[in-house]
Amino acid sequence: MSTQQLIVAIVVVAAVGFGVARTIRIIPQATAAIIERLGRYHRTLTPGLNLVVPFIDRIKDMIDLREQVVSFPPQPVITSDNLVVSIDTVIYFQVTNPKAATYEIANFLIGVEQLTVTTLRNVVGGMDLERTLTSREDINTALRGVLDEATGKWGIRVNRVELKAIDPPASIQDSMEKQMRADRDKRAAVLTAEGQRQAAILQAEGEKQASVLRARGEAEAAVLRAQAEAEAQAMRAKGQADAIGMVFKAIHEGNPDQHLLAYQYLQTLPEIAKGDANKIWIVPSEMGKVLENLGGLFTPPKNPDA
């Protein structure tokens, strides 16, 4: 084989190898390739080994099918009460139709960003500052609905929209901080007053219960003392009654005469006068008869023979 023939063979082998290399296309997972044939869309290559016609088919774009996260720079937005707030947004989207994402819009990332900005201004423009700061979920839902509907024809599905930050003007932030401090001081004063009121109520209730318990204890003690005194008086009366009964029985059993009874009566009178409550006592009318009988005790009986 001559040198010229060798060169031709090498060129042929290189051309065949290059053609084979251009024929085989390996597409990574979660990626789609847009194939154009002679300048027109032909088909979409799926992940794995694919065969194309060399020099006729070409890969226009490789589309990432995974969910993508894009953070847009802060955007100035005017609220309904004419205050400018700066809002940071994060968009989570995914390409569902690689053909539409390639041919329906030149750059879908720029399209999503601009659509997000305009939609955000429309949504926030109908809210005042206070509602804007407290309605993140409502703003996220409104943005997601508008973006998902608008980007559907681009072959894109918006999964989630998040507001990273909503920054009002510095003067408004200062006023809000002062208002928050005033609210916290007010709540602290209210809680302190409420605590003092509860403490006073509890103390009054405690004193009331203590007074009731003391009064109840004193009443029960008075009742017990009265019961004890009554029982003591009843026992003393019973003892006196028993003593009188015994004396009465002894007297009747002894069959005393009138002179002895009169003498015992006189002995009892000093005992009656000893009591502290006996300031005045009255001598009964029978005292004369008693004294007469008593005098008869000391007078000798008359001699009938005298």
Side-chain angles (χ1 to χ4, degrees):
M1 181 180 295
S2 64
T3 303
Q4 186 177 4
Q5 292 177 344
L6 181 59
I7 294 174
V8 171
I10 293 173
V11 171
V12 171
V13 171
V16 171
F18 181 75
V20 172
R22 292 294 301 271
T23 301
I24 299 174
R25 289 289 184 268
I26 298 177
I27 307 302
Q29 182 66 31
T31 305
I34 302 298
I35 298 298
E36 289 183 346
R37 174 169 293 181
L38 300 177
R40 299 182 60 183
Y41 171 78
H42 176 59
R43 62 191 178 108
T44 301
L45 300 184
T46 58
L49 181 64
N50 296 271
L51 299 177
V52 297
V53 178
F55 307 110
I56 297 177
D57 296 339
R58 74 180 185 91
I59 296 178
K60 177 176 177 57
D61 286 319
M62 298 287 289
I63 306 298
D64 192 344
L65 301 180
R66 296 173 296 179
E67 185 176 25
Q68 302 182 41
V69 181
V70 179
S71 177
F72 300 133
Q75 299 295 326
V77 181
I78 301 176
T79 61
S80 61
D81 47 357
N82 296 324
L83 293 175
V84 179
V85 294
S86 179
I87 301 179
D88 294 350
T89 55
V90 178
I91 305 296
Y92 298 81
F93 69 93
Q94 187 174 11
V95 177
T96 57
N97 188 341
K99 177 183 176 182
T102 302
Y103 294 104
E104 295 295 334
I105 187 170
N107 190 325
F108 60 83
L109 287 178
I110 296 178
V112 170
E113 179 181 1
Q114 296 302 317
L115 184 60
T116 301
V117 172
T118 55
T119 305
L120 183 63
R121 289 175 177 172
N122 291 333
V123 173
V124 177
M127 300 180 178
D128 56 12
L129 178 61
E130 183 176 358
R131 186 182 175 190
T132 302
L133 296 176
T134 58
S135 303
R136 290 191 176 213
E137 190 63 30
D138 296 340
I139 297 175
N140 293 340
T141 303
L143 281 174
R144 181 183 178 280
V146 174
L147 290 175
D148 193 37
E149 180 180 0
T151 59
K153 64 179 181 179
W154 300 343
I156 296 174
R157 182 178 68 243
V158 177
N159 297 325
R160 192 162 64 254
V161 179
E162 298 290 343
L163 300 183
K164 289 197 303 182
I166 302 177
D167 299 325
S171 58
I172 300 299
Q173 290 184 3
D174 185 61
S175 299
M176 293 172 62
E177 291 177 358
K178 290 180 180 179
Q179 182 179 1
M180 291 176 62
R181 286 196 296 269
D183 291 340
R184 285 195 295 267
D185 294 339
K186 178 181 177 182
R187 288 195 297 268
V190 170
L191 291 176
T192 301
E194 183 68 20
Q196 293 176 353
R197 186 176 71 88
Q198 292 293 336
I201 292 174
L202 293 176
Q203 184 177 1
E205 290 180 352
E207 293 176 354
K208 176 183 176 182
Q209 293 178 0
S211 300
V212 171
L213 291 176
R214 283 196 298 270
R216 186 178 299 173
E218 292 175 356
E220 292 178 355
V223 171
L224 292 177
R225 285 195 297 269
Q227 291 178 353
E229 184 66 23
E231 292 177 358
Q233 292 179 359
M235 292 181 65
R236 285 195 296 270
K238 185 176 182 301
Q240 293 176 359
D242 293 341
I244 293 172
M246 292 177 63
V247 171
F248 184 78
K249 182 179 179 182
I251 291 173
H252 282 278
E253 290 179 355
N255 194 18
D257 56 5
Q258 189 174 4
H259 299 289
L260 178 59
L261 292 175
Y263 178 73
Q264 291 294 330
Y265 186 75
L266 288 176
Q267 287 183 337
T268 306
L269 288 177
E271 297 297 330
I272 296 175
K274 288 181 179 180
D276 295 335
N278 297 329
K279 304 300 181 183
I280 299 175
W281 54 287
I282 302 171
V283 177
S285 60
E286 293 83 1
M287 180 61 70
K289 294 182 180 181
V290 173
L291 293 177
E292 291 179 358
N293 294 330
L294 186 57
L297 292 176
F298 300 98
T299 304
K302 294 182 179 181
N303 190 356
D305 296 334

